[in-house]
Amino acid sequence: MRHPSCRVPVRVRSRSRSRPRAFAVACALLLASFTAAPAAPGSDPLERFHAQRIRWGDCPGTGAPAGMGCGTVEVPLDYANPAKGTVTLALARIPATDRGHRLGSLLLNFGGPGLPGVAGLAADAETYADLGKRYDLVAFDPRGVGHSEPVSCGGSMETADAAEGDPAARLSALRAVAGRCELASGPVLPYVGTVNVSRDMDVMRRVLGDRKLNYLGFSYGTRLGAVYAAQFPGHTGRMVLDGVDTLTEPLVEQALATARGRQRALDGFLAWCTRRPDCVYGTDARAAARRVDSLVARLDEEPLTGEDGSHVTGQDAAASIGNALYATSTWPRLADALALAEREHDPVGLLQLGGPTGPSDRPQEVQEQDSGPGSVPADNSRTAQAAVNCADDPDRSDEHAGPEAVRRELDARRGQFLAASKVFGPGQLATVLTCYGRPAGTDFIRRIDHPGAPRMLLVGTRGDPATPYEWTRETAERLGSAVVLDHRGDGHTAYASSSCVRQYANRFLTEGRLPAGKRSCPAGE
């Protein structure tokens, strides 16, 4: 029995699960929601954390907008045993400009998992200026991310090339990477994951002085918001989730859906490109799709080499294309890059297409500016992404994994991923192996079912390459209290790109006005 403040008042779906045995210590965080000891009547086991006061000061690094202050909050390393140790979380705040009509704090999460919120708010504060009139805008680096005790794998999560062809060697290499991550990350690694980050958010709510949590989350941030609403329905205020993540699908199924979603987005881009007079692929969108398939296959056989010696393989090209599909504003650059690769065999355009843009993925470029003492490890984003996704997925257990399991799963899945997308399927297939060598995760997220939270707004974009629209419908059904806003456009998330979506979201967050039933926003508005 857990303390009432941490109770999970959800109806759960019947589901059998295998419980890890050899990894009980490593899984302590993941199982904490079921193992915390009872508290004495009237006591608060988190009292010393709730009584904190944040000392807001200057933000580290450069680029923080005027008025933005930074501070830290201490949270328990292990909520099942708050005396075990603490984690220091980095926060940033931009105070509300209309103090006379201030509504409290609005917590933002820009996605990931593995992307820092402090850098994200610094990079994109202007997007939320209307909300910032009546709310203190607050962002944070989740535990294990950015400046909140970042996890690392000692520089890289890559396995040796020699392990690629042999299942036994590959499994050994994956386990070696997991061990390297454990050594380089310190005590926080077994305690990452969405369930505990949502608990951290409730500590922040208390410390910030808010009776309820008002929240705007993008991409992975929607998973985080949904888990918070399931754990703390009575503390949930106005919540908007944009680019809605799945609560139901295993990590492998998520990767398969992502391959399909990126292919749909690529088809949308090619339809746009072939309507332009200068499209390298002419005017036939179906023929254009076949030519992109051919380009990727050709570059896997013979990569493009630049004047500086850099080269781009087919999978490199697929990653660049996928990155550029995150926002329609980058489509012209993608068209130019493909034209340069096809006509002049020059990879520079593909190389210059950076990481995903848009509100849920922009902070990475800011994070990489950090340097000096306390800087963020270069591999933090990827390490944290894998750690959180595996912590949230109960379908993997190291003790059941052998070399043949690796071979069988890859063989069984390869055809599905290629059928989903010849361009993106091979890269997403690697996700099959992400959690081998790691303990199985919590099943809490899978079991969320009508938790009794207040009504909230869920935004799904039809052409989203990362969070397919069907996940919006599925998550709305699981939460049972959501209004769906159907954005009939392209790109990953919609708040920054659609004035229609922004109006619905801002009206709800500032006025509490939420229409009944499903609503839609057309593309381009």
Side-chain angles (χ1 to χ4, degrees):
M1 176 76 72
R2 290 183 299 145
H3 186 267
S5 67
C6 297
R7 192 183 305 277
V8 185
V10 298
R11 297 205 308 269
V12 298
R13 301 181 177 190
S14 177
R15 177 185 176 89
S16 63
R17 68 185 287 260
S18 60
R19 297 182 181 272
R21 294 180 291 277
F23 295 90
V25 174
C27 289
L29 171 68
L30 306 176
L31 302 179
S33 57
F34 308 109
T35 59
S43 69
D44 178 4
L46 303 179
E47 181 178 3
R48 71 184 183 96
F49 298 101
H50 293 158
Q52 295 176 81
R53 293 293 180 266
I54 303 173
R55 296 183 179 181
W56 300 104
D58 293 338
C59 294
T62 59
M68 178 168 148
C70 289
T72 61
V73 165
E74 297 290 322
V75 295
L77 177 69
D78 181 357
Y79 279 88
N81 183 6
K84 183 179 290 186
T86 63
V87 179
T88 302
L89 304 181
L91 280 74
R93 181 188 67 170
I94 301 176
T97 55
D98 185 355
R99 305 301 291 177
H101 298 90
R102 178 180 175 274
L103 294 171
S105 305
L106 178 68
L107 199 64
L108 299 106
N109 181 279
F110 303 103
L115 294 178
V118 172
L121 183 59
D124 211 21
E126 187 60 32
T127 298
Y128 313 100
D130 287 343
L131 292 171
K133 294 175 182 177
R134 301 192 63 189
Y135 280 108
D136 295 345
L137 301 177
V138 179
F140 68 103
D141 293 355
R143 56 171 64 201
V145 175
H147 292 285
S148 295
E149 303 190 17
V151 295
S152 172
C153 288
S156 174
M157 291 181 61
E158 299 299 325
T159 57
D161 292 340
E164 294 299 315
D166 176 27
R170 190 162 194 175
L171 181 57
S172 177
L174 290 165
R175 287 176 169 153
V177 168
R180 192 165 69 238
C181 299
E182 183 177 355
L183 289 173
S185 295
V188 73
L189 182 60
Y191 298 93
V192 300
T194 302
V195 170
N196 273 331
V197 175
S198 68
R199 290 172 176 163
D200 295 342
M201 287 164 53
D202 201 58
V203 173
M204 292 180 226
R205 175 192 65 81
R206 290 283 297 267
V207 174
L208 290 166
D210 294 304
R211 188 174 64 88
K212 294 195 174 184
L213 182 83
N214 298 312
Y215 180 80
L216 174 58
F218 300 96
S219 194
Y220 163 76
T222 68
R223 188 198 313 172
L224 184 55
V227 171
Y228 181 90
Q231 291 201 97
F232 304 101
H235 297 166
T236 300
R238 300 169 185 175
M239 186 171 284
V240 175
L241 309 180
D242 181 7
V244 182
D245 203 352
T246 180
L247 303 179
T248 60
E249 293 187 352
L251 191 57
V252 174
E253 296 302 325
Q254 292 178 41
L256 191 58
T258 297
R260 294 191 188 105
R262 289 190 178 181
Q263 185 62 50
R264 283 196 298 266
L266 176 59
D267 292 342
F269 160 77
L270 291 173
W272 168 86
C273 181
T274 52
R275 290 194 296 268
R276 300 176 65 192
D278 58 345
C279 182
V280 69
Y281 295 124
T283 59
D284 186 333
R286 289 188 178 181
R290 291 192 294 271
R291 289 187 63 185
V292 174
D293 292 348
S294 177
L295 173 68
V296 171
R298 188 168 69 248
L299 296 189
D300 273 334
E301 293 292 329
E302 186 176 349
L304 289 179
T305 302
E307 293 182 358
D308 61 354
S310 59
H311 69 279
V312 172
T313 67
Q315 293 312 299
D316 294 333
S320 294
I321 294 168
N323 291 340
L325 295 173
Y326 270 57
T328 55
S329 60
T330 58
W331 284 11
R333 290 176 56 204
L334 175 58
D336 291 343
L338 290 171
L340 201 60
E342 294 279 18
R343 289 173 177 155
E344 301 182 30
H345 308 291
D346 188 341
V348 66
L350 293 170
L351 289 168
Q352 288 175 348
L353 289 172
T357 58
S360 63
D361 295 280
R362 190 173 301 165
Q364 181 62 27
E365 64 191 52
V366 180
Q367 178 182 344
E368 290 172 352
Q369 295 174 3
D370 295 331
S371 60
S375 62
V376 180
D379 68 334
N380 173 242
S381 181
R382 287 194 63 197
T383 300
Q385 182 180 54
V388 172
N389 282 334
C390 294
D392 289 357
D393 190 336
D395 293 336
R396 298 306 170 114
S397 178
D398 183 81
E399 60 190 342
H400 297 133
E404 282 305 303
V406 175
R407 183 189 61 76
R408 283 196 305 270
E409 182 144 28
L410 286 174
D411 289 347
R413 293 284 187 171
R414 186 171 285 106
Q416 290 178 294
F417 278 81
L418 288 175
S421 173
K422 292 181 180 178
V423 173
F424 304 112
Q428 290 298 315
L429 178 62
T431 304
V432 169
L433 302 179
T434 297
C435 298
Y436 277 106
R438 300 171 186 257
T442 180
D443 68 351
F444 174 84
I445 300 171
R446 298 277 183 83
R447 301 188 305 117
I448 294 173
D449 187 12
H450 292 70
R455 288 205 308 161
M456 61 189 74
L457 180 64
L458 271 58
V459 182
T461 296
R462 292 284 178 161
D464 195 315
T467 49
Y469 180 77
E470 53 264 31
W471 288 355
T472 303
R473 295 197 304 264
E474 292 171 2
T475 298
E477 181 181 348
R478 294 289 297 277
L479 293 173
S481 56
V483 171
V484 171
L485 180 57
D486 179 359
H487 176 229
R488 298 177 181 272
D490 296 289
H492 183 40
T493 74
Y495 182 89
S497 61
S498 169
S499 60
C500 175
V501 169
R502 204 157 47 248
Q503 287 172 9
Y504 273 106
N506 289 359
R507 185 182 301 124
F508 174 50
L509 290 169
T510 58
E511 302 174 20
R513 294 168 57 188
L514 190 61
K518 181 178 174 181
R519 291 292 187 271
S520 65
C521 283
E525 292 186 16

